[in-house]
Amino acid sequence: MKKSFLSFLFAVAAFQLRAEDGHQLWLRPHATVPVTVVAPASRSVLLATAKQELQQGWQGNAGATVTLTLKKDKAIRYDGYRISPSGVQAVTERGLLYGVFELIRCQQTGQAAQAGVSNPSYEYRLLNHWDNPDGSVERGYAGQSIFWRKDSSFVTTSRDKTLWQEYARANASVGINGAVVNNVNASPRILSAEYLARVKAIADVLRPYGVKTFLAVKFSSPVLLGGLKTADPLDPAVVKWWQAKAKEIYQQIPDFGGFLVKASSEGQPGPQDYGRTHADGANMLADAVRPYGGLVMWRAFVYSPSDKDRAKQAYNEFVPLDGKFRDNVIIQVKNGPVDFQPREPFSPLFGAMKKTSVMPEFQITQEYLGHSIDLAFLSTMWEECLGSDTYQAGPGSTVARVTDGSVYPQKHTAMAGVANTGLDRNWTGQDFGQANWYAFGRLAWNNQLKSAQIADEWLKQTFAGAADQQATASAADWNANFLAPVTQMMLDSREAVVNYSMPLGLHHIMSATHDHYGPGPWWAPPKMRADWTPPYYHQADAQGVGFNRTTTGSNAVSQYHEPLASQLNDPATCPDEYLLWFHHLPWDFKMKSGNTLWNELCAHYDKGVHQVRQFQQTWDQTRPYVDAERFAAVQNKLRAQSGAAVLWKDACLLYFQQFSKLPIPASVEPPMHTLDGVIANDMVRPRPLPRP
Ligand code: GCV
């Protein structure tokens, strides 16, 4: 059972394929040695997968015997496992598979596999694909959908199957056990017989890797697909329609996971169209899937104008419904109260619904953090959210603990991530985007993991042995000149994006015309609803900048528990990171650093630009340690990101300067753009970046 330690890095160099297009993700082929696997006699496909993975990936002692045991064990919950000197023990076959992947991960990263139990933090660890039936992907930056085709062809090809299998395997390797395979802005067609046949085909390929298939459904499907006159959740015909549809699905996919619903949100139909509540809608669907053990994930991403402050609306709508949901409903809550911004405080819904299962939704695809161009390791952002103390059940009630069942008796626990996958050969567009998929899975398995460990694991599995020079390089050399600097770059990368785009609590000031890439603090076409425009969020004027959410403003602070509410309410105690989220402050406001707000803002934008330039230098120095293909790809992306960072800095400083009327400090690199120029360019769609 002992693993092969650091020699793994270099023993494999000769084995590597020289063409590294990133398709193998963190599961690149390795030199392996024989292992004997002793496992229960079973025809289970999952068990077969576990055995196969062990045999194909073993890098421990040659000729070792590893025993896989299925056994009741009170210490193991969900799909957890116990590692012992003789092998892996679990209660479920999925648990065995995850234990096997843990053994292999440890061997590959030079860690000793820890004897003992590892339980997942969440029962369900799910990817949400915003993939449309026509093959496009909403907020997708890595090509077309891996599940759906533009030509609406329903023939499942061997290429489809191979891709879905690789996808499922990657998920299983980090413990992801569910996939919602279509967009939350759901087409009713997804529930038609022809689409369900394809869903079945997908489910059949994902199953051997323990990945359950779920669907996002449109609330008005009974009308649009079923021809009913209403989708009122209390109408008996509607109830019957959903029951029949659930039966039809489960007949084809007996282990179907359930439904994800975006309702009464951004133009999507919902129970409120019929004067019903979210609970009425969710419960009706929950009853339809209950006989089969299905789940309903009901999204809290709603912002009907119940309050002038959009950040308050989800809380206003959902907290009064606490305790009114069936126990197979989970309320799916975005990490922040607005919409996946580079930095948001945690959503006040976390911890506030004490009698309802609540799950976090993170966005792996980088809608607001530079698409698949910018390098942004999002693990640090999710770690920040999960570690935030809600105080809802006393100190230490972190977002992690109020959602994973340790504080409240949630019937079900789950975490979702909006996927960043597409048909691009490397799956995620930017090679470092793979790290976000990896990190999501690892954090869903263990919500206490640290980003530094995740980055270290991912880099070792993704890049070790990926250059000819490594045949002669030493482990110490690789650690010092690749692993350490690149880990640091990853750990700094999200903060760099915050610095050059929306520092100090600024949010939602991106360009709308470029699909949320690049700056657009000025964007406010006439007649546009205000809470879709940046000026609504930054509120810049001659007096200052920021959204007043204190007790003298929208009072969003009151949705947080004490002592947090008071801390956030006072600019002297509000953390700088959230300052302009909660406060409208004068341009000469004295910051904790001693700087004025204006100078501090300028310094953050400038710092972001310099951080990206530092990343470029860091990456350039890794050339001897990285295969030529991925080296050039990342280098190109960083070059583009560097330009984008300068554009953000120049645009935002020049725009805000119109209000502050203050000079940009001499310590800050002077703008190379003009405000008119960047505004004009914002209205023109930029040419796509050349693909390296
Ligand atoms: C799927 C944001 C995105 C939308 C997305 C929505 C959601 O508004 O821009 O593309 O729609 O969030 O999460 O439902």
Side-chain angles (χ1 to χ4, degrees):
M1 284 298 295
K2 277 176 126 193
K3 21 121 270 82
S4 55
F5 303 107
L6 279 179
S7 55
F8 78 97
L9 284 180
F10 308 104
V12 296
F15 185 77
Q16 295 302 323
L17 299 174
R18 291 277 72 84
E20 290 277 5
D21 57 12
H23 192 70
Q24 313 273 6
L25 296 161
W26 49 90
L27 296 168
R28 290 155 62 248
H30 294 96
T32 54
V33 294
V35 61
T36 304
V37 183
V38 178
S42 157
R43 280 207 235 138
S44 138
V45 284
L46 257 163
L47 201 58
T49 311
K51 280 200 256 180
Q52 181 183 313
E53 288 296 336
L54 202 50
Q55 273 152 351
Q56 285 177 359
W58 184 254
Q59 296 163 262
N61 293 341
T65 297
V66 179
T67 308
L68 304 181
T69 317
L70 276 174
K71 197 167 139 198
K72 285 225 155 51
D73 184 332
K74 282 207 180 107
I76 299 178
R77 60 176 198 146
Y78 306 140
D79 298 323
Y81 53 81
R82 182 188 289 281
I83 303 258
S84 72
S86 62
V88 184
Q89 181 196 317
V91 179
T92 65
E93 288 160 347
R94 263 204 200 92
L96 289 181
L97 180 61
Y98 298 142
V100 163
F101 274 118
E102 169 68 4
L103 286 181
I104 293 170
R105 177 169 40 246
C106 287
Q107 290 173 347
Q108 223 189 310
T109 56
Q111 313 295 315
Q114 296 294 319
V117 170
S118 174
N119 283 322
S121 300
Y122 299 96
E123 178 187 5
Y124 293 94
R125 305 167 297 279
L126 302 143
L127 289 185
N128 287 186
H129 290 268
W130 288 356
D131 295 19
N132 298 310
D134 67 358
S136 61
V137 180
E138 183 158 350
R139 311 306 176 189
Y141 315 104
Q144 295 284 108
S145 168
I146 60 172
F147 297 118
W148 311 104
R149 296 242 195 82
K150 202 179 189 156
D151 60 9
S152 292
S153 152
F154 295 103
V155 179
T156 299
T157 62
S158 60
R159 184 170 164 256
D160 287 335
K161 283 190 183 168
T162 304
L163 197 67
W164 299 341
Q165 194 211 18
E166 291 166 338
Y167 160 84
R169 177 169 181 247
N171 281 335
S173 75
V174 289
I176 292 170
N177 65 356
V180 183
V181 297
N182 65 312
N183 192 353
V184 287
N185 289 328
S187 160
R189 280 186 294 154
I190 204 75
L191 292 175
S192 65
E194 53 187 357
Y195 275 92
L196 285 181
R198 183 142 170 115
V199 178
K200 176 185 166 13
I202 296 169
D204 287 345
V205 179
L206 305 194
R207 187 172 300 112
Y209 282 93
V211 181
K212 271 193 182 199
T213 302
F214 293 72
L215 285 178
V217 293
K218 197 174 193 79
F219 198 76
S220 55
S221 298
V223 177
L224 299 174
L225 188 69
L228 301 191
K229 289 209 166 60
T230 178
D232 181 348
L234 301 192
D235 185 295
V238 173
V239 172
K240 228 168 126 192
W241 190 88
W242 281 109
Q243 285 172 346
K245 191 48 81 180
K247 189 172 175 193
E248 183 188 341
I249 297 172
Y250 279 96
Q251 271 167 353
Q252 297 178 67
I253 311 167
D255 59 349
F256 178 71
F259 296 140
L260 169 64
V261 194
K262 172 175 178 177
S264 300
S265 161
E266 292 190 330
Q268 291 297 325
Q272 292 174 344
D273 301 343
Y274 305 96
R276 312 298 184 192
T277 67
H278 288 289
D280 294 328
N283 292 343
M284 181 272 294
L285 289 174
D287 290 342
V289 294
R290 175 183 295 282
Y292 315 96
L295 198 68
V296 169
M297 290 163 289
W298 191 268
R299 294 176 91 227
F301 179 64
V302 296
Y303 53 103
S304 56
S306 61
D307 189 285
K308 281 201 185 120
D309 182 358
R310 172 173 159 184
K312 291 173 69 183
Q313 292 160 8
Y315 181 102
N316 288 347
E317 279 191 45
F318 276 86
V319 170
L321 297 174
D322 189 20
K324 300 211 161 80
F325 292 93
R326 299 279 193 271
D327 66 5
N328 59 334
V329 174
I330 311 191
I331 305 303
Q332 182 166 317
V333 180
K334 288 189 182 183
N335 56 288
V338 170
D339 190 9
F340 296 139
Q341 296 302 294
R343 173 167 276 126
E344 297 193 30
F346 66 86
S347 164
L349 272 171
F350 292 121
M353 297 185 77
K354 300 179 167 56
K355 293 176 279 181
T356 306
S357 297
V358 171
M359 62 187 276
E361 175 182 323
F362 294 116
Q363 195 180 42
I364 308 172
T365 192
Q366 293 170 229
E367 177 178 357
Y368 300 101
L369 287 103
H371 296 189
S372 58
I373 298 167
D374 297 3
L375 192 159
F377 181 49
L378 303 183
S379 181
T380 51
M381 176 159 85
W382 304 329
E383 188 187 334
E384 178 178 292
C385 173
L386 291 166
S388 298
D389 201 339
T390 70
Y391 294 96
Q392 288 285 356
S397 327
T398 58
V399 171
R401 297 189 69 246
V402 297
T403 54
D404 69 7
S406 7
V407 172
Y408 304 128
Q410 297 200 174
K411 173 81 190 281
H412 294 289
T413 61
M415 183 159 132
V418 180
N420 60 348
T421 50
L423 280 181
D424 276 8
R425 189 66 194 151
N426 71 357
W427 299 90
T428 56
Q430 152 71 277
D431 287 273
F432 277 78
Q434 299 177 357
N436 293 330
W437 179 2
Y438 182 87
F440 170 77
R442 297 290 286 136
L443 281 169
W445 184 272
N446 179 354
N447 62 15
Q448 303 300 314
L449 270 189
K450 298 288 167 238
S451 299
Q453 179 186 330
I454 297 172
D456 176 276
E457 282 177 8
W458 178 77
L459 283 168
K460 284 176 174 165
Q461 294 171 89
T462 307
F463 285 104
D468 291 332
Q469 289 87 335
Q470 282 197 25
T472 52
S474 71
D477 181 23
W478 193 81
N479 283 344
N481 295 311
F482 181 84
L483 186 61
V486 179
T487 300
Q488 195 57 51
M489 172 176 81
M490 289 173 75
L491 295 178
D492 292 343
S493 59
R494 178 268 187 145
E495 199 64 40
V497 176
V498 171
N499 281 330
Y500 66 67
S501 64
M502 311 189 205
L504 297 176
L506 286 174
H507 51 288
H508 215 289
I509 61 169
M510 67 287 157
S511 161
T513 38
H514 297 163
D515 290 328
H516 299 171
Y517 187 84
W522 46 81
W523 191 82
K527 296 201 186 137
M528 178 61 61
R529 62 180 277 182
D531 61 1
W532 282 0
T533 69
Y536 167 91
Y537 293 96
H538 62 64
Q539 305 264 315
D541 56 22
Q543 281 70 51
V545 63
F547 199 124
N548 183 358
R549 295 191 165 106
T550 69
T551 43
T552 65
S554 80
N555 200 20
V557 286
S558 69
Q559 294 183 339
Y560 291 90
H561 202 281
E562 289 296 359
L564 198 54
S566 300
Q567 188 197 343
L568 297 172
N569 195 48
D570 181 351
T573 52
C574 181
D576 280 2
E577 294 87 68
Y578 304 123
L579 201 60
L580 302 178
W581 184 284
F582 288 106
H583 298 270
H584 186 79
L585 295 171
W587 295 106
D588 63 357
F589 174 80
K590 197 73 176 284
M591 300 290 293
K592 295 182 190 80
S593 65
N595 275 339
T596 63
L597 171 59
W598 169 249
N599 282 359
E600 187 90 354
L601 201 61
C602 293
H604 273 274
Y605 276 107
D606 199 48
K607 183 173 180 190
V609 168
H610 284 94
Q611 282 175 300
V612 181
R613 290 188 186 142
Q614 178 58 53
F615 300 160
Q616 287 183 278
Q617 277 186 26
T618 300
W619 188 252
D620 283 346
Q621 283 162 11
T622 66
R623 188 192 286 267
Y625 305 92
V626 185
D627 52 281
E629 196 169 344
R630 288 183 297 174
F631 177 79
V634 173
Q635 190 185 45
N636 265 340
K637 299 269 178 179
L638 283 170
R639 202 169 283 152
Q641 182 176 3
S642 186
V646 173
L647 190 70
W648 265 106
K649 169 181 85 65
D650 289 1
C652 292
L653 292 184
L654 291 170
Y655 173 79
F656 288 129
Q657 192 179 35
Q658 300 177 109
F659 304 99
S660 78
K661 308 264 187 243
L662 292 166
I664 294 172
S667 54
V668 170
E669 189 173 286
M672 59 179 274
H673 300 92
T674 63
L675 185 58
D676 287 347
V678 277
I679 293 179
N681 185 46
D682 179 38
M683 305 306 161
V684 184
R685 207 181 157 77
R687 273 172 297 136
L689 286 160
R691 272 208 127 74

